[in-house]
């Protein structure tokens, strides 16, 4: 099989987005929209990838920094799609395989559709194969004009189309498979003699047809796949479609999603079977959720790893944290980066953690801050406990051994170590290490002044 290259056209500014951010970098389900055609092309077998960038090219380049298999070409002036492809000629010099041409603002294209496009192109020995869609309302799209037998004669942009041509319902998606040895010769010969004064890539169809070369189309079953994103309304519509794809795939793998229309899960998130996800949940980043978990409404989880049987209660927020089996969190808890909770740990309502390891069976049930701490197994942390980890310059660690009982309203002034099996009395401010098996008390003595209230009157 011949080599496959992919060109992703991502140079446009996106004026209709009304944004200071270039269009292709607008997030869609947690990723810049340009990520999706790039990923689809790679998954379909493209082993050479070229991005044509223009407006805010530095942002696109920074995003793909470190991706060794991606080459970049800068289109200094945006003179049309044909000009964009011509700019990439040097990056694919001598390439004679199949070239997939995709648009950075058409994010819903599927891998399987591109594979079918490549296969159909090969089977028909075509020079150009155009991905098309049939729309009941094709306004704004180029129309596909065919001859008998299904071969394409030309693609006409709407502004250049006759009334008869505008009545055609088959539209050009802007996605093509083209033989490389034909493509770059053709774009070098393009003219900008049209209503827009641009170099249309679609003109290579007419050029091929005039030479008697075969040009065919592949019509997608779902027109949403080739929906372009030009404004925020279309961005939201694309996001909704992508969200439903992700949720449906998870449900078919055994995950219960109570309300798929109100559940927001990013690509790449993995969820085990028999997990139940309630409405309003957001899960993103490289999150992995085990089996048999329950994630209640409005929880926000990003970059976390959850074991089996984890219960995340309503309104909890978790980032870059690890939860082992049978952990319970929330409601309204906040797990900040660096949190690791061993099996059977309980973190209750309005508890915040950061850079802690909490041993098996330990619990902090409510109204507590635990930061920069190592906490052993079977530790009870009472209500209102604080690890005072910051002295204004540096962060310091608190270490609490196994089987420690911490009463309510305790402050650990780090650095401090609490020995195993100790008891820290309620209201204590701990400023020194506590030996194992000890009772630590640090309170101002209570004074009762009898009859004081009567005298006050």
């Amino acid at each position: 099989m011949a080599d496959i290259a992919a060109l992703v056209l991502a140079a446009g500014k996106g004026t209709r987005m009304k944004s200071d951010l270039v269009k292709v970098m607008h997030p869609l389900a947690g990723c810049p929209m340009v990520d999706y055609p790039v990923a689809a092309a790679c998954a379909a077998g493209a082993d050479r990838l070229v991005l044509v960038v223009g407006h805010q090219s530095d942002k696109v380049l920074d995003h793909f920094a470190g991706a060794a298999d991606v080459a970049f070409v800068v289109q200094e002036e945006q003179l049309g799609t044909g000009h964009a492809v011509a700019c990439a000629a040097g990056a694919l010099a001598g390439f004679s395989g199949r070239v997939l041409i995709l648009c950075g603002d058409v994010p819903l294209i599927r891998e399987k559709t591109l594979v079918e496009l490549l296969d159909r192109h090969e089977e028909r020995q075509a020079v150009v194969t155009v991905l098309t869609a049939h729309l009941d309302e094709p306004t704004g799209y180029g129309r596909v004009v065919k001859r008998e037998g299904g071969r394409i004669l030309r693609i006409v942009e709407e502004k250049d189309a006759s009334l008869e041509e505008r009545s055609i319902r088959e539209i050009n998606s802007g996605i093509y498979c083209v033989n490389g040895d034909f493509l770059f010769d053709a774009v070098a010969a393009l003219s900008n003699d049209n209503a827009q004064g641009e170099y249309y890539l679609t003109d290579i169809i007419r050029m091929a047809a005039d030479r008697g070369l075969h040009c065919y189309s592949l019509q997608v079953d779902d027109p949403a796949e080739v929906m372009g994103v030009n404004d925020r309304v279309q961005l939201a519509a694309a996001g909704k479609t992508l969200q439903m794809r992700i949720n449906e795939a998870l449900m078919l793998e055994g995950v219960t999603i109570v309300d798929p229309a109100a559940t927001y899960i990013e690509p790449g998130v993995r969820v085990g079977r028999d997990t139940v996800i309630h409405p309003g949940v957001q899960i993103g980043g490289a999150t992995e959720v085990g089996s048999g978990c329950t994630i209640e409404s409005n929880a926000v989880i990003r970059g976390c790893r959850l074991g089996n049987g984890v219960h995340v209660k309503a309104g909890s927020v978790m980032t870059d944290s690890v939860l082992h089996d049978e952990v319970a969190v929330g409601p309204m808890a906040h797990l900040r980066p660096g949190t690791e909770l061993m099996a059977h740990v309980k973190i209750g309502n309005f508890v915040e953690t950061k850079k802690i390891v909490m041993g098996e069976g330990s619990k902090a049930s409510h109204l507590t801050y635990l930061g920069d701490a190592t906490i052993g197994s079977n530790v009870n942390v009472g209500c209102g406990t604080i690890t005072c980890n910051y002295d204004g310059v540096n962060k310091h660690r608190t270490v609490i051994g196994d089987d420690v009982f911490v009463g309510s309203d305790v402050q650990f002034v780090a650095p401090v170590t609490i020995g195993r099996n100790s008891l820290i009395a309620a209201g204590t401010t701990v400023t020194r290490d506590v030996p194992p098996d000890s009772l630590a008390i640090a309170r101002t003595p209570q004074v009762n002044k009898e009859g004081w209230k009567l005298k006050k009157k």
Side-chain angles (χ1 to χ4, degrees):
M1 185 178 289
D3 289 341
I4 301 169
L7 284 177
V8 180
L9 309 185
K13 180 180 180 181
T15 304
R16 281 182 278 173
M17 297 296 286
K18 292 183 170 58
S19 174
D20 293 331
L21 181 66
V22 63
K23 176 167 63 172
V24 297
M25 290 301 293
H26 275 261
L28 185 66
C31 305
M33 79 169 85
V34 70
D35 278 4
Y36 295 98
V38 167
C42 292
D47 48 18
R48 299 179 67 175
L49 184 66
V50 179
L51 261 67
V52 181
V53 296
H55 289 286
Q56 295 183 0
S57 58
D58 56 327
K59 285 186 168 57
V60 184
L61 268 61
D62 288 346
H63 176 65
F64 287 100
D69 54 346
V70 180
F72 297 93
V73 172
V74 179
Q75 185 186 16
E76 299 290 354
E77 291 183 273
Q78 279 68 62
L79 302 177
T81 52
H83 177 251
V85 173
C87 289
L92 290 175
F95 182 81
S96 59
R98 290 166 291 171
V99 180
L100 285 172
I101 302 174
L102 301 98
C103 303
D105 60 358
V106 181
L108 298 179
I109 187 66
R110 294 178 186 265
E111 169 198 345
K112 67 178 184 180
T113 301
L114 295 181
V115 170
E116 187 178 358
L117 179 66
L118 288 161
D119 291 346
R120 190 69 61 88
H121 182 84
E122 194 83 353
E123 290 167 5
R124 292 179 169 179
Q125 297 184 329
V127 168
V128 182
T129 304
V130 184
L131 194 64
T132 66
H134 189 280
L135 301 182
D136 292 334
E137 180 46 68
T139 302
Y141 288 92
R143 309 302 203 276
V144 178
V145 181
K146 293 182 175 178
R147 58 192 279 182
E148 289 186 15
R151 285 168 59 179
I152 302 177
L153 285 173
R154 63 186 179 277
I155 294 175
V156 185
E157 297 300 323
E158 185 170 75
K159 291 184 178 180
D160 301 303
S162 66
L163 287 175
E164 182 181 358
E165 289 167 338
R166 291 187 184 190
S167 69
I168 296 171
R169 296 290 182 262
E170 187 174 8
I171 60 95
N172 172 32
S173 71
I175 296 173
Y176 311 85
C177 181
V178 190
N179 288 355
D181 50 4
F182 166 78
L183 175 62
F184 296 109
D185 286 342
V187 294
L190 290 175
S191 164
N192 65 345
D193 184 17
N194 52 60
Q196 294 287 89
E198 294 184 351
Y199 296 91
Y200 292 154
L201 181 60
T202 50
D203 286 347
I204 69 171
I205 306 292
R206 175 184 49 76
M207 294 165 67
D210 289 347
R211 298 183 199 177
L213 302 174
H214 291 189
C215 302
Y216 289 101
S217 66
L218 173 66
Q219 187 170 308
V220 294
D221 295 327
D222 180 8
E225 278 199 65
V226 297
M227 181 182 76
V229 173
N230 295 301
D231 56 35
R232 312 260 184 163
V233 175
Q234 293 172 335
L235 182 68
K240 182 64 70 174
T241 298
L242 187 59
Q243 169 195 315
M244 291 306 297
R245 282 185 188 175
I246 293 167
N247 292 350
E248 286 173 6
L250 289 171
M251 289 187 288
L252 291 172
E253 291 298 319
V255 178
T256 294
I257 299 179
V258 176
D259 185 354
T263 304
Y264 307 92
I265 301 175
E266 294 181 6
V269 170
R270 298 167 58 186
V271 183
R273 63 174 59 191
D274 294 321
T275 285
V276 179
I277 302 175
H278 289 266
V281 168
Q282 301 178 45
I283 309 177
T287 294
E288 297 180 16
V289 179
S291 62
C293 297
T294 300
I295 303 177
E296 294 183 5
S297 296
N298 302 314
V300 179
I301 304 172
R302 186 162 196 87
C304 295
R305 191 169 76 247
L306 280 61
N308 300 325
V310 171
H311 189 176
V312 180
K313 299 179 184 179
S316 296
V317 177
M318 300 160 41
T319 307
D320 297 333
S321 297
V322 177
L323 283 64
H324 293 263
D325 295 348
E326 305 295 335
V327 165
V329 172
M332 307 300 287
H334 185 188
L335 274 53
R336 291 166 57 191
T339 295
E340 182 171 8
L341 308 179
M342 300 303 178
H344 304 287
V345 163
K346 177 184 177 183
I347 296 293
N349 52 293
F350 302 105
V351 174
E352 180 179 358
T353 67
K354 188 268 294 185
K355 288 186 179 178
I356 73 161
V357 177
M358 198 164 190
E360 184 170 349
S362 293
K363 59 184 178 180
S365 296
H366 32 227
L367 298 165
T368 291
Y369 170 70
L370 301 172
D372 297 285
T374 300
I375 299 170
S377 301
N378 301 312
V379 173
N380 178 85
V381 179
C383 176
T385 295
I386 301 170
T387 56
C388 307
N389 55 328
Y390 185 47
D391 63 8
V393 178
N394 299 306
K395 299 289 180 71
H396 301 282
R397 242 181 137 68
T398 297
V399 178
I400 301 176
D402 297 342
D403 302 310
V404 169
F405 186 95
V406 180
S408 298
D409 192 30
V410 168
Q411 298 85 47
F412 294 102
V413 182
V416 68
T417 298
I418 311 302
R420 67 174 306 280
N421 196 39
S422 293
L423 190 152
I424 312 301
T428 295
T429 299
V430 180
T431 58
R432 293 181 294 150
D433 292 351
V434 177
D437 306 310
S438 299
L439 168 65
I441 306 175
R443 302 174 183 156
T444 301
Q446 180 175 328
V447 176
N448 294 334
K449 297 186 176 183
E450 295 185 17
W452 181 88
K453 186 69 174 178
L454 297 175
K455 294 176 184 178
K456 194 71 174 175
K457 287 182 179 178

